[in-house]
Amino acid sequence: TRRVQGACPGRFEVRVLQEGWQRPMLSEARALGLRAGVRALVREVYLVCGGTPWVFARTVIPVNTLTGRRRRLRYLGSRPLGAFLFTDRSMTRGAVELTCIGPGERLYRRATASLASLPPTIWGRRSVFRLGGKPLLVSEIFLGADGGQPGGR
């Protein structure tokens, strides 16, 4: 988030698309060590520069992670998650997984839903973070400084 803010020549904002309890995707549940069908708090946002989405972020937080002072994760609103994560001294980050996402995939549809022009593919990464040993999964899909418009980046 800090890098996007630094690169953004216009107004930066976190635009919340949805936040609520739902079943994570199967690959997300596996990454978090959850049983299939278990509900978690899922938050989807755009990191927006000058009115254009640059990054789509999806965070999956198991219910047992939301205890103690980490209950605040339920009430981030339009505040960046990174500001919370990187100030928690107990935070550790797992391996970064990279992927190329195409039009037939659920994350592609979610990430590009409000773009005027759809790119042929988009790149993303995800990591399991641990706060006090409790996991949450953060996925970031890079839409480009042009928000998916031709000729960007």
Side-chain angles (χ1 to χ4, degrees):
T1 303
R2 217 176 264 164
R3 285 187 182 161
V4 172
Q5 287 173 314
C8 177
R11 181 176 173 268
F12 172 82
E13 69 177 299
V14 175
R15 186 179 303 155
V16 179
L17 302 172
Q18 69 91 21
E19 185 172 32
W21 295 97
Q22 59 182 268
R23 289 181 187 92
M25 290 182 250
L26 186 56
S27 69
E28 294 170 332
R30 284 184 184 142
L32 289 164
L34 300 175
R35 290 186 335 265
V38 170
R39 291 187 177 272
L41 181 64
V42 177
R43 178 178 188 245
E44 294 180 345
V45 301
Y46 277 137
L47 303 183
V48 178
C49 175
T52 302
W54 279 17
V55 176
F56 170 82
R58 178 177 164 93
T59 305
V60 180
I61 310 171
V63 67
N64 56 353
T65 298
L66 297 166
T67 59
R69 70 174 196 248
R70 292 172 190 96
R71 284 185 308 234
R72 292 182 288 167
L73 289 168
R74 291 186 66 186
Y75 309 103
L76 287 172
S78 61
R79 289 173 291 169
L81 172 65
F84 183 89
L85 285 179
F86 292 100
T87 58
D88 189 317
R89 292 180 182 260
S90 73
M91 187 274 287
T92 59
R93 184 178 194 168
V96 176
E97 298 176 43
L98 301 175
T99 188
C100 183
I101 304 165
E105 298 177 62
R106 181 176 170 193
L107 267 181
Y108 180 94
R109 290 188 301 275
R110 297 290 304 149
T112 61
S114 71
L115 300 183
S117 173
L118 299 180
T121 59
I122 49 180
W123 285 89
R125 68 181 182 185
R126 75 178 186 182
S127 296
V128 174
F129 289 83
R130 294 192 181 277
L131 302 172
K134 297 179 179 180
L136 65 130
L137 180 68
V138 178
S139 300
E140 300 161 302
I141 311 300
F142 304 101
L143 303 172
D146 62 351
Q149 299 300 317
R153 273 212 195 204

